[in-house]
Amino acid sequence: MQGLARPASDPASPGKNAVSGAQGGVITPADVRKLFLKHKWIILGAILVGLGVAFYHVETAIPEYEAVASVDLNLNRTSHIGIRNLVSGASANGVNNSPLNTQLRIMQSNSVAKDVVRTLHLYTKRPFTKVFKKSGYHGKVSSAQMNAMGGMLRGHLQVIRVPQTNLVEIHYRNPDPAVAQKVANGIVAAYQNFTLRTHYQAMT
């Protein structure tokens, strides 16, 4: 009985197929062009949407201006006697604070912030107007509204100590450069009023 004859396998064939498959997996510029032409409207739409979102953010973004004021925190001055007593009392109670760090916290306190809001009548200035967005400001401010405005002010406030000196810089940001400068100076004035009140209380 004769067996069926089968053609001899070509050992080179698998290699050729492998090479052909590898070449088929390479993306050529022509493939990219075909893909772009096939989905051009989707790609162009995505680009236009991205440009539109970027343009919207640029047009609606509110620019902020930063003003800087400085103050010399020389605690050896007579006007800071009460402050030194305050710091000494905090240290005696186990609070580990340096005198200058204590002053930085005072400048950033809600009490000083609310004093600036009241002194400068910031009720009609951005961003403080958000507190009255429902009814507007009509000459009366509740405790909750004042606390909220104090928090807003502190959110745009930065107090920085100049290294190796007693100088402290007060940085404040606001959409209105005039308001930014007034608030920065107002923080210094409110802090100085605080030190005077503390000094007076220490002397009585």
Side-chain angles (χ1 to χ4, degrees):
M1 183 175 179
Q2 294 180 345
L4 296 176
R6 292 181 299 178
S9 60
D10 184 0
S13 296
K16 291 180 180 179
N17 291 337
V19 172
S20 177
Q23 289 178 344
V26 177
I27 299 177
T28 65
D31 295 329
V32 175
R33 182 174 178 275
K34 291 178 181 178
L35 183 63
F36 176 79
L37 292 176
K38 183 178 180 180
H39 302 285
K40 62 181 179 180
W41 296 117
I42 297 177
I43 296 173
L44 289 175
I47 294 175
L48 290 176
V49 169
L51 292 175
V53 171
F55 180 78
Y56 172 79
H57 282 289
V58 169
E59 289 297 314
T60 58
I62 300 175
E64 286 195 332
Y65 301 89
E66 183 175 273
V68 182
S70 62
V71 60
D72 181 7
L73 297 184
N74 184 358
L75 299 183
N76 293 322
R77 290 198 301 264
T78 305
S79 60
H80 284 92
I81 291 178
I83 297 295
R84 292 206 306 271
N85 293 338
L86 179 64
V87 174
S88 300
S91 300
N93 291 327
V95 180
N96 186 17
N97 294 322
S98 71
L100 285 178
N101 286 339
T102 300
Q103 304 317 299
L104 299 186
R105 280 191 285 274
I106 291 174
M107 289 184 189
Q108 298 174 85
S109 67
N110 203 39
S111 177
V112 167
K114 290 191 294 185
D115 189 10
V116 174
V117 171
R118 283 190 293 264
T119 303
L120 298 180
H121 301 283
L122 298 176
Y123 316 120
T124 59
K125 306 295 183 182
R126 292 183 297 177
F128 309 100
T129 51
K130 295 179 181 178
V131 174
F132 308 99
K133 61 182 179 181
K134 291 184 179 180
S135 59
Y137 172 64
H138 299 291
K140 294 183 179 180
V141 181
S142 67
S143 297
Q145 289 171 332
M146 181 58 72
N147 286 329
M149 286 187 287
M152 288 181 180
L153 190 149
R154 294 167 63 195
H156 293 80
L157 174 68
Q158 188 177 21
V159 179
I160 304 173
R161 178 186 175 186
V162 180
Q164 309 302 322
T165 71
N166 290 326
L167 290 176
V168 171
E169 292 182 345
I170 294 88
H171 297 246
Y172 186 75
R173 292 175 286 107
N174 189 270
D176 187 333
V179 172
Q181 190 62 63
K182 288 180 180 179
V183 172
N185 293 333
I187 292 291
V188 175
Y191 166 76
Q192 291 173 338
N193 289 336
F194 175 86
T195 60
L196 289 175
R197 289 196 303 269
T198 306
H199 171 62
Y200 176 79
Q201 293 171 359
M203 298 297 292
T204 57

